[in-house]
Amino acid sequence: MQQNRIPFNRPHMTGKEIEYIAEAHAGHMLAGDGPFTKRCHAWLEQRTGCSKALLTHSCTAALEMAAVLLDIQPGDEIIMPSYTFVSTANAFVLRGGVPVFVDIREDTLNMDERLIEAAITPRTRAIAPVHYAGIACEMDTIMDIARRHGLQVVEDAAQGVMSRYKGRALGSIGDFGAFSFHETKNVISGEGGALLVNAPAQALRAEIIREKGTDRTRFFRNEVDKYTWQEVGSSFLPGELIAAFLWAQLEEAQSITIDRMASWNRYHQALAPLETQGLLRRPVVPETCQHNAHMYYVLLAPGVHRQAVLSCLRENEISSVFHYVPLHSSPGGLRYGRVHGSMQFTDAQSARLIRLPLWVGLTPEQQDRVVNALTEALT
Ligand SMILES: *Cc1c(COP(=O)(O)O)cnc(C)c1O
């Protein structure tokens, strides 16, 4: 039987994107910080409880802004997982910072909070937890360590829009949080992101850094009579067409999450027998975490040939992919950063992991095909 290919990701459009872009176009509002950007900011502030939300070009840009806000100096150390996207590290490396990689937890694949304290040195300035798969790091412990040692916390919540930890939105718990609206995430604008500023005292500086180091945002609010260069900054704000697209997505963030969650739960149930047989391990979601169904991954049993499994899925026209090559085993990782302690779970789990197709509109029939093909590959 001829079957259609099941892609790994299919960007979901809510239906209002073009209408809102046309509205921005008709209103001759193209530069940043127009009406759609303001709506997105208000939504993010309301939904996360952060004191200031600022749209950026990407999560990468939001992390770079955070590094400027922290005033990272050459040699300053930032503790982070090695099992993450390159931007978590690069944002700080651009300021001369040194990523210090600690191992991840065996269960959630998030940075192991029990290893952070031993990695602290006199040069440590910040901790950058990454909420993998939209499942929160152990933030109470991380915040407690940070406060006791006078460190800042920058949450890489790229995958965490709509996720919560003990009821609090990811990105709103540390000093700063970074969201991504890249087309591979849950809520999208092609490329896009946001910086969440949680300490009210940092909000004005964040606006300045985002507007080329000027107080232009205050000028637009009539708080100053001209705008001038204040400090180091760059252009981090997206134009209104992107914000218009994003607004159509944020309005539907709830229904997007509900749809994805149904698929996530269906996989989780259908794959339980394979876990019982010891052929794979399913994701672990701690009690404290309300996740957003960003990703469904499985960890293949040790010894299973991952490439063979992926090939078998591909032969069944299913696109499944592995994920990060840990930063400490990439050429840039040890050039710009260093490892603290064993990387046993980072190495082991990253080598076993595959991600299954998950997107809004994925049907139960398509999921059955994925589960059947995976079962065939493993048995
Ligand atoms: C996607 C992602 C990023 C980068 O997001 P962009 O918006 O593409 O810059 C950073 N960190 C993590 C953990 C991500 O998943």
Side-chain angles (χ1 to χ4, degrees):
M1 190 185 82
Q2 187 67 35
Q3 329 190 89
N4 295 327
R5 198 179 74 84
I6 304 175
F8 170 66
N9 180 50
R10 204 174 67 94
H12 168 68
M13 313 292 167
T14 67
K16 290 268 187 79
E17 288 85 354
I18 299 296
E19 179 186 327
Y20 291 158
I21 288 172
E23 197 178 316
H25 176 267
H28 296 269
M29 300 291 284
L30 299 178
D33 282 343
F36 282 108
T37 302
K38 289 197 170 73
R39 270 180 235 179
C40 294
H41 285 173
W43 190 97
L44 289 166
E45 285 161 11
Q46 264 163 28
R47 293 305 184 100
T48 68
C50 72
S51 74
K52 188 95 197 158
L54 294 168
L55 293 192
T56 55
H57 297 304
S58 60
C59 178
T60 302
L63 291 166
E64 288 174 19
M65 278 184 69
V68 177
L69 277 154
L70 262 54
D71 198 21
I72 292 297
Q73 297 296 313
D76 285 352
E77 296 178 352
I78 303 89
I79 298 172
M80 64 180 67
S82 168
Y83 187 65
T84 184
F85 190 63
V86 64
S87 295
T88 319
N90 241 337
F92 296 100
V93 169
L94 274 169
R95 319 295 319 159
V98 179
V100 174
F101 304 119
V102 298
D103 206 4
I104 52 173
R105 291 167 55 123
E106 190 274 335
D107 55 358
T108 57
L109 316 192
N110 281 329
M111 176 162 64
D112 190 337
E113 68 282 356
R114 293 159 297 193
L115 303 176
I116 294 172
E117 208 148 12
I120 294 173
T121 74
R123 295 308 308 262
T124 308
R125 290 288 319 284
I127 306 170
V130 179
H131 305 298
Y132 188 66
I135 295 167
C137 296
E138 201 35 73
M139 288 307 292
D140 277 353
T141 305
I142 292 172
M143 294 310 294
D144 176 59
I145 294 168
R147 292 305 169 240
R148 280 192 284 108
H149 292 270
L151 307 176
Q152 302 273 295
V153 174
V154 177
E155 296 177 70
D156 183 340
Q159 302 172 13
V161 178
M162 301 294 280
S163 289
R164 289 179 180 271
Y165 167 80
K166 299 188 180 176
R168 300 169 71 188
L170 301 193
S172 75
I173 303 167
D175 297 277
F176 301 100
F179 279 167
S180 174
F181 304 119
H182 186 268
E183 78 163 40
T184 52
K185 303 302 201 282
N186 290 20
V187 171
I188 61 175
S189 60
E191 302 281 351
L195 179 71
L196 308 188
V197 181
N198 296 320
Q202 293 289 338
L204 267 184
R205 265 195 83 212
E207 287 180 342
I208 287 169
I209 289 161
R210 178 167 166 271
E211 265 285 17
K212 301 91 182 167
T214 73
D215 54 356
R216 188 177 186 174
T217 309
R218 296 193 70 192
F219 174 70
F220 286 144
R221 281 199 299 259
N222 294 316
E223 293 170 10
V224 289
D225 60 1
K226 58 183 176 304
Y227 73 86
T228 54
W229 187 15
Q230 303 285 319
E231 65 167 296
V232 66
S234 188
S235 181
F236 288 112
L237 66 164
E240 273 292 280
L241 301 184
I242 291 283
F245 190 106
L246 181 62
W247 179 242
Q249 293 268 322
L250 290 175
E251 280 189 323
E252 293 299 326
Q254 190 85 35
S255 62
I256 289 169
T257 309
I258 290 169
D259 185 287
R260 297 182 72 104
M261 195 59 79
S263 296
W264 196 100
N265 287 330
R266 217 180 279 121
Y267 273 139
H268 206 57
Q269 206 162 32
L271 293 169
L274 292 181
E275 184 174 76
T276 307
Q277 292 169 61
L279 296 170
L280 55 75
R281 204 209 78 189
R282 298 175 302 159
V284 174
V285 182
E287 285 282 320
T288 48
C289 301
Q290 189 187 334
H291 73 103
N292 61 356
H294 172 60
M295 185 193 301
Y296 199 91
Y297 69 80
V298 297
L299 296 171
L300 303 174
V304 172
H305 194 282
R306 178 168 68 175
Q307 206 48 53
V309 173
L310 294 177
S311 300
C312 181
L313 290 171
R314 195 173 328 108
E315 280 158 25
N316 283 283
E317 304 227 54
I318 294 161
S319 173
S320 169
V321 290
F322 53 85
H323 210 184
Y324 307 127
V325 173
L327 298 182
H328 79 275
S329 31
S330 320
L334 297 182
R335 178 158 167 215
Y336 300 112
R338 68 178 171 81
V339 162
H340 185 274
S342 156
M343 289 283 125
Q344 61 166 325
F345 292 119
T346 302
D347 291 332
Q349 307 302 64
S350 64
R352 295 169 55 194
L353 183 141
I354 65 172
R355 294 179 287 161
L356 304 182
L358 180 57
W359 31 270
V360 173
L362 184 68
T363 65
E365 293 71 33
Q366 288 172 314
Q367 289 194 278
D368 287 345
R369 262 179 62 198
V370 174
V371 171
N372 291 340
L374 186 57
T375 306
E376 183 191 319
L378 292 176
T379 53

